[in-house]
Amino acid sequence: MLAVAARSLLASQARQQSPALWKAAQAGYAAAASGKVVELQSDDEYQAALKELASSKGGAIIDFTAVWCGPCKMIAPVYDQLAQEFPSVKFFKVDIDNQKLSQAVTQNSVAAVPTFVGYQGADRVTAFSGADKAMLRRLALELSGGHLKSPAQ
């Protein structure tokens, strides 16, 4: 109960201090929860996403990518499809060349792209580099707890 009250107070303060960032973060969470990939634009958005994961205890995959990367372009449609197949998992994308995300890239020790980092709540549970479709699917399945979207949904 106390944690819920504290979260509510923090959310209220965040809305007041930076309404534009708050609105963007909430839109991003809604998109991620609806089976869409959300491209994070700043270290603040990255930190907000981690805080949301910590409170929800949900699973997430962050794709560290680059626009010039051939394997990244090849795996992107697969990543988008997995976001739709596993709506209980949040899917985020980070462009390693975006200077506003340098802290996120450094914190995750990204040395190659694509790099996929899996989170369960606030805990980083795994990471791998390379456009490996099978590993990416396994990670999504693991983080979802086996909850696939049925074809009728």
Side-chain angles (χ1 to χ4, degrees):
M1 183 82 163
L2 184 58
V4 172
R7 239 187 348 254
S8 177
L9 178 61
L10 288 173
S12 175
Q13 290 173 343
R15 276 192 295 262
Q16 292 170 357
Q17 291 175 358
S18 182
L21 181 58
W22 174 259
K23 189 173 183 178
Q26 291 305 105
Y29 301 138
S34 68
K36 295 181 182 171
V37 176
V38 174
E39 187 164 350
L40 300 174
Q41 299 296 325
S42 69
D43 284 323
D44 287 340
E45 285 185 16
Y46 171 77
Q47 291 300 326
L50 290 183
K51 285 179 184 172
E52 175 68 19
L53 286 171
S55 66
S56 73
K57 308 264 190 254
I61 302 173
I62 302 177
D63 173 11
F64 289 88
T65 187
V67 295
W68 47 263
C69 168
C72 299
K73 291 176 187 176
M74 183 195 79
I75 199 78
V78 174
Y79 191 68
D80 292 343
Q81 180 62 37
L82 290 173
Q84 292 181 15
E85 286 181 44
F86 296 93
S88 64
V89 177
K90 293 182 173 153
F91 288 77
F92 297 101
K93 193 172 276 202
V94 169
D95 181 348
I96 65 161
D97 293 323
N98 180 343
Q99 292 302 310
K100 293 179 183 177
L101 283 156
S102 61
Q103 185 179 9
V105 173
T106 302
Q107 283 178 350
N108 285 279
S109 304
V110 176
V113 287
T115 292
F116 297 96
V117 180
Y119 281 88
Q120 190 68 54
D123 300 324
R124 180 181 159 149
V125 293
T126 191
F128 69 92
S129 295
D132 188 323
K133 295 175 190 177
M135 281 183 72
L136 188 54
R137 177 171 284 286
R138 264 193 311 276
L139 177 57
L141 186 60
E142 180 182 311
L143 292 172
S144 74
H147 299 270
L148 272 165
K149 182 176 180 181
S150 70
Q153 288 181 318

